[in-house]
Amino acid sequence: MKKQAVKLEDVAAVAGVSKTTVSRVLNNRGYLSQATIDKVHKAMQELHYRPNIIARQLYQQRTNLVGLVFPTVDNPFFGQLEACLDHELYKRGYRVLMGNSQNNPDRERAYLRQLLNGQVDGLIVGAHNEGIEQYRNIQLPVVSIERLVSKDIPVVAADNYAGGVLATQQLLDDGCQHIIHTNYPHDLASPNMERRRAYEELMRRHGLPMYTYEVSFDSSTAEKIKIFYRLFDEHPEVDGVFADNDTNASLIMQVARKRGRRVPEDLKVVGFDGANMTRTLLPELTTIQQPIQQMATAAVQLLQDQIDGKKTTNSVQLPVKLIHGTTA
Amino acid sequence: MKKQAVKLEDVAAVAGVSKTTVSRVLNNRGYLSQATIDKVHKAMQELHYRPNIIARQLYQQRTNLVGLVFPTVDNPFFGQLEACLDHELYKRGYRVLMGNSQNNPDRERAYLRQLLNGQVDGLIVGAHNEGIEQYRNIQLPVVSIERLVSKDIPVVAADNYAGGVLATQQLLDDGCQHIIHTNYPHDLASPNMERRRAYEELMRRHGLPMYTYEVSFDSSTAEKIKIFYRLFDEHPEVDGVFADNDTNASLIMQVARKRGRRVPEDLKVVGFDGANMTRTLLPELTTIQQPIQQMATAAVQLLQDQIDGKKTTNSVQLPVKLIHGTTA
DNA sequence: TCGCAGGTGTTAACCGGTTGACAGATAAAA
DNA sequence: TTTTATCTGTCAACCGGTTAACACCTGCGA
C-alpha cells in the first residue's frame, strides 16, 4: 500500500459538505448552488485534489481503455496503423494499452489473460498466432485487422486479392517472365493468402511458372536475407518480384544489387503496404498501398458499435492503390 | 453499468466457503487445506471465473502500468524505442499505456492529467512540448528520454555532443567546405542542441561558415521538403549535410537529386539515429547510431529504482557510433 | 484437566469513488 | 393556506477485490 493521496472525503471535509456533493460538482450532476460549487472548487485547488481514476473505473465497470494486440510497433505498417488507431481512439475518449506480442504466443496469451479481466473495454488485434483458444467465448468487444481470428470476430482488411492482381499485372505488363512471390507460411490463415491466390491465378492464366517463398514475419533480418540469397541462387532467371511487404522488398533489392542485378533494368520489384515511413525512406519503390488510415477508422467504428451493443459483426474490406515508383 | 460478471462471491458460494478463503486460494496466502483448495479451484473452473483486475488495483494502489508519453510511434526511432521499452517493461511485469502526444501540447496535458490520477505506476516521457507545468510537483516516478523536462527528473540520452563531433568530422574528413546542419528550433531545451553545439564548435575551429536550418519535428513531410528546397536555393554551394535524423536525411537526399546533385559525389550526407527500420530501408546512409536498446534498458532501470523508492536521480548518457554507409 | 501451538475459516473494514433514495427548504401556483 | 415544483444536500449501499483481527478446532505436553 502506498501513501495516502488526497481523496474526495478530504475535499468534502475542507469544503464543509458531503462526499456526494463533491462528486456532483466533479461530474456536474444534479442541482448545485454556485456558492457550493465555488466552495468545493476552492477546496480542491487548495488540496491539489486529483480524483482516483481506478475507483471510478471500478464502479463504472468501464476503463475507457482499448487493448491493441499486434506483433510489434517497430515496423512501418504496424507503426503507422497503431498510430492511426491511437488517434482515432483518442478522439472517442479511449486510451490505448499496448500489447506487442512480438509474435510470441505466450506473450499474446499473457496479454489476453490480463486484458480480459476488466482491464479494457475492447480489443483490436492483429497478431499472427493462430489458434489462441482464448479468443473463443470472449465476452469482450473485439475487432481484428488483417487477421482471421474466429468467425465471430469482424475483420478489417484491405482488398488483398485486388492488390495481388495489381502487383502481378504490373510485373506482367513490364514484360517479366519469371516472377517470384514472397508471403507468409501458408498455414497462417491470413487475408495475405489472397495476395498469393491472385498471383497464382494470374501466373497460371499466363502459363508462367510460379514460385512462392515463405518468409515468416518474425524471422530476423539476417534470416530473411539468407532466404533471399537462396532465392537468387535457386532462380537466377528471376526478373520480377512481388514482395508481401515493403521491408522485404527493400531487402530483396539489396540482395539483388549484391548479386549484380540492377533494379529496374534487370529486375522489377513491387512491394506491399505503402506506409508513410517506407514512402519517405524508399520512395522509388513501386508498391501496393493499403489504406491504413481508413482501416483504423473502420476498426474503431466497428469496435465502438460493439461496445454500444449494436450487432454489426460485418467485416470490412477496403480498396488498395498501386503506387508507381521506379522499381517496376 | 454493464452486466454482472462472475465474481469472487459467486465462487465462494458455489465452493461453500467465504470470500476470504477464495481470495487466499487465489493469492496463495495463509493456511489452506488441500481439500479447500480443490473445492475452490473446481468452483472457479465451473463458473469460468476471472478476477477483476481493477478491484485489485484499487486496493493495492498499484496498476502495474507504465505510461509512455512520446510524439508518435510512427517513426523509426520512436517506434523502435517504444518497442524496446515495452519489452523491457514486460519483463518486469509492467504493461504499457500509450500516450502519443503527436506534439500537441493539449494531448500531452490530457494524458498527463489522466495518467497522474493513479492510472499508472510510472511515466517514461520523450515528448517535446516544453513547459508543461504538470511535470512539476509530480508525485509519480518519471524518467525522461532525450528531453529535458524538469531538473528533478532523470534524463537518459545518447552522447549527443560526441555524435555531433563524429558527424561533422566525417564531413570535414570528406573534404566538405560548406556543411549545413538541420536541427530542432533552438528554443526547445533538448539534448539535441548538443549536436548543434558540436557542429558549430568544429566549424568555427576550422574557420568554416555554419548554417543551421531549423525544422520542427511535427512539421508535415511536405513542409519539410519545402524547407530543404529552400536550403539548396539559398546555399547552392552546399557540399555536406549533417541532418538531425535519418528521415530528414532521406528527404534531403531526395531533394538533392531533384536539384541534380549526386550523393555522395556532389553532396555528402550524414544522418542521426540509425534505427533498425532506417538501416533496413536506407542502408546506404551514413549515420550516427543511438544505442536505442541500451537507452530503453537504462530508462526502465531508473524508473524501477524510483518505484522501489531508491533515490537514484542520476541522469545517464550513452555512447553513439558512426555507421559507415556510402553517403559520406 | 489446562495451556498452548498450529491449522482453518469467517467477519467486517477498507481501497476511493458514484448514485438511488430521501429529507428539508424555498418559491410559485391553486 | 395548501399543494406542487424546484432546489440543495445527506445517507448509505455499491463496484469487486484484500486483509487485519479474531474465533474455533485439534492435538500434544505439562
Side-chain angles (χ1 to χ4, degrees):
Chain A
M1 300 285 283
K2 283 199 297 190
K3 76 221 155 287
Q4 207 80 329
V6 181
K7 56 171 113 171
L8 193 137
E9 210 173 330
D10 304 328
V11 176
V14 169
V17 297
S18 73
K19 282 170 61 181
T20 309
T21 303
V22 178
S23 176
R24 284 209 185 136
V25 171
L26 225 49
N27 299 297
N28 234 330
R29 223 188 151 72
Y31 307 104
L32 292 165
S33 71
Q34 193 56 47
T36 306
I37 294 176
D38 293 344
K39 241 183 348 189
V40 171
H41 275 144
K42 184 150 164 290
M44 294 199 297
Q45 296 245 309
E46 241 171 65
L47 298 171
H48 294 297
Y49 172 67
R50 302 178 155 290
N52 181 314
I53 289 197
I54 304 296
R56 178 178 294 163
Q57 289 176 348
L58 176 58
Y59 186 85
Q60 307 198 321
Q61 297 290 87
R62 175 179 176 113
T63 59
N64 291 311
L65 246 40
V66 168
L68 256 38
V69 181
F70 286 93
T72 175
V73 88
D74 184 21
N75 169 283
F77 178 72
F78 289 117
Q80 187 180 342
L81 181 58
E82 291 201 39
C84 288
L85 285 169
D86 176 60
H87 192 243
E88 290 299 315
L89 288 165
Y90 183 89
K91 287 198 288 189
R92 293 173 186 264
Y94 295 103
R95 300 297 180 267
V96 164
L97 202 55
M98 232 165 67
N100 291 341
S101 67
Q102 307 282 359
N103 279 100
N104 179 337
D106 290 338
R107 271 187 78 161
E108 188 171 346
R109 243 185 295 275
Y111 277 122
L112 282 177
R113 189 168 352 104
Q114 187 166 63
L115 296 178
L116 295 178
N117 291 200
Q119 179 94 292
V120 297
D121 294 345
L123 230 43
I124 300 182
V125 305
H128 288 219
N129 312 303
E130 213 34 39
I132 294 216
E133 68 289 348
Q134 281 156 304
Y135 282 113
R136 321 208 169 271
N137 309 327
I138 263 184
Q139 294 300 348
L140 210 65
V142 182
V143 173
S144 145
I145 296 191
E146 284 277 322
R147 297 288 172 268
L148 306 171
V149 182
S150 126
K151 59 179 181 302
D152 311 326
I153 297 176
V155 180
V156 173
D159 188 344
N160 284 281
Y161 184 83
V165 169
L166 278 175
T168 312
Q169 191 62 52
Q170 175 66 43
L171 292 167
L172 290 168
D173 291 350
D174 286 342
C176 298
Q177 297 287 316
H178 302 280
I179 304 173
I180 292 185
H181 177 47
T182 69
N183 206 316
Y184 296 133
H186 70 285
D187 51 328
L188 272 177
S190 155
N192 261 22
M193 289 306 126
E194 290 294 293
R195 305 180 194 169
R196 179 171 182 171
R197 193 166 67 80
Y199 158 76
E200 294 183 343
E201 277 187 15
L202 255 72
M203 295 303 277
R204 196 173 297 120
R205 197 179 309 157
H206 286 258
L208 293 171
M210 57 185 89
Y211 301 101
T212 297
Y213 275 75
E214 299 187 347
V215 185
S216 41
F217 181 87
D218 46 329
S219 302
S220 71
T221 302
E223 286 172 321
K224 290 179 183 169
I225 286 178
K226 210 145 73 179
I227 294 178
F228 298 141
Y229 269 113
R230 190 158 58 70
L231 184 158
F232 282 100
D233 292 341
E234 294 175 351
H235 295 282
E237 76 279 12
V238 58
D239 56 3
V241 172
F242 165 28
D244 65 320
N245 67 61
D246 293 337
T247 315
N248 282 348
S250 173
L251 293 176
I252 287 167
M253 296 197 302
Q254 287 166 44
V255 170
R257 284 192 200 100
K258 288 259 169 68
R259 279 282 184 262
R261 312 297 179 91
R262 289 165 307 163
V263 177
E265 293 82 352
D266 309 329
L267 180 74
K268 319 276 185 207
V269 176
V270 177
F272 211 105
D273 285 352
N276 286 341
M277 207 41 56
T278 336
R279 305 297 309 135
T280 298
L281 295 174
L282 196 63
E284 65 268 31
L285 179 66
T286 297
T287 189
I288 307 298
Q289 186 169 51
Q290 301 205 55
I292 301 184
Q293 174 62 55
Q294 284 99 297
M295 289 165 76
T297 310
V300 171
Q301 180 65 56
L302 281 177
L303 192 74
Q304 181 76 65
D305 286 350
Q306 283 188 56
I307 291 176
D308 293 344
K310 294 188 201 151
K311 283 280 175 194
T312 49
T313 322
N314 304 317
S315 292
V316 171
Q317 194 170 54
L318 295 161
V320 297
K321 198 168 105 187
L322 174 66
I323 305 250
H324 291 279
T326 59
T327 63
Chain B
M1 301 287 282
K2 283 198 296 188
K3 77 219 156 283
Q4 206 81 329
V6 180
K7 56 172 116 169
L8 193 136
E9 211 174 332
D10 304 329
V11 176
V14 168
V17 298
S18 73
K19 284 171 61 181
T20 308
T21 304
V22 178
S23 175
R24 283 208 186 136
V25 171
L26 225 49
N27 299 297
N28 233 331
R29 228 189 147 73
Y31 306 103
L32 292 166
S33 70
Q34 193 56 47
T36 307
I37 294 176
D38 293 345
K39 242 183 347 190
V40 171
H41 275 142
K42 186 151 163 287
M44 294 200 295
Q45 295 244 310
E46 244 170 63
L47 298 172
H48 294 296
Y49 172 69
R50 303 179 154 289
N52 181 314
I53 289 197
I54 304 296
R56 178 178 293 162
Q57 288 177 349
L58 175 58
Y59 186 86
Q60 307 198 320
Q61 297 291 86
R62 175 179 177 113
T63 59
N64 291 310
L65 247 40
V66 168
L68 256 39
V69 181
F70 287 93
T72 175
V73 87
D74 184 20
N75 170 284
F77 178 73
F78 289 117
Q80 186 179 342
L81 181 58
E82 290 202 37
C84 288
L85 286 169
D86 175 60
H87 192 243
E88 289 300 315
L89 289 165
Y90 182 90
K91 289 198 286 189
R92 293 173 185 263
Y94 295 103
R95 301 296 179 267
V96 163
L97 204 55
M98 230 165 68
N100 292 340
S101 67
Q102 307 282 359
N103 279 101
N104 179 337
D106 290 338
R107 271 188 76 162
E108 186 171 346
R109 243 186 295 274
Y111 277 123
L112 282 177
R113 189 168 352 104
Q114 188 167 64
L115 296 179
L116 295 178
N117 292 196
Q119 179 93 295
V120 296
D121 295 345
L123 231 44
I124 300 181
V125 305
H128 288 219
N129 312 303
E130 212 34 39
I132 293 214
E133 69 289 347
Q134 281 154 304
Y135 283 113
R136 321 208 169 270
N137 307 329
I138 265 185
Q139 294 300 349
L140 211 64
V142 183
V143 173
S144 144
I145 295 190
E146 285 278 323
R147 297 288 172 265
L148 306 170
V149 182
S150 128
K151 59 178 178 305
D152 310 325
I153 296 176
V155 180
V156 173
D159 188 343
N160 284 282
Y161 184 83
V165 169
L166 278 174
T168 312
Q169 191 61 53
Q170 174 67 41
L171 291 166
L172 290 168
D173 290 350
D174 286 342
C176 298
Q177 296 286 316
H178 302 280
I179 303 172
I180 293 185
H181 177 46
T182 70
N183 206 315
Y184 296 132
H186 71 286
D187 50 328
L188 272 177
S190 154
N192 260 21
M193 288 305 125
E194 289 296 293
R195 305 180 194 169
R196 178 171 183 170
R197 193 165 67 81
Y199 158 77
E200 293 183 343
E201 277 187 15
L202 254 72
M203 295 303 277
R204 195 173 299 120
R205 197 178 310 157
H206 286 258
L208 294 170
M210 57 185 91
Y211 301 101
T212 297
Y213 276 75
E214 298 188 347
V215 185
S216 41
F217 181 87
D218 47 329
S219 301
S220 70
T221 302
E223 286 172 319
K224 290 179 184 169
I225 286 178
K226 207 145 73 179
I227 295 179
F228 297 142
Y229 269 113
R230 189 156 60 72
L231 183 157
F232 283 100
D233 292 342
E234 294 175 352
H235 294 282
E237 76 280 12
V238 58
D239 56 3
V241 172
F242 166 26
D244 64 321
N245 66 61
D246 294 337
T247 315
N248 282 348
S250 174
L251 293 176
I252 287 167
M253 295 197 300
Q254 288 165 44
V255 169
R257 285 193 198 98
K258 287 260 168 68
R259 279 282 185 261
R261 312 299 179 90
R262 289 165 307 162
V263 177
E265 293 83 350
D266 308 330
L267 180 76
K268 319 275 184 208
V269 176
V270 177
F272 211 104
D273 284 352
N276 287 339
M277 205 42 56
T278 336
R279 304 299 307 137
T280 299
L281 295 174
L282 195 65
E284 66 268 31
L285 179 66
T286 296
T287 189
I288 308 298
Q289 185 168 51
Q290 301 205 54
I292 301 184
Q293 173 63 54
Q294 284 99 299
M295 289 164 77
T297 310
V300 170
Q301 179 65 55
L302 281 177
L303 192 72
Q304 181 75 66
D305 286 349
Q306 283 188 57
I307 291 176
D308 293 345
K310 294 186 201 153
K311 283 281 176 195
T312 49
T313 323
N314 302 318
S315 292
V316 172
Q317 194 169 54
L318 296 161
V320 297
K321 200 169 104 186
L322 174 65
I323 304 249
H324 290 280
T326 60
T327 63

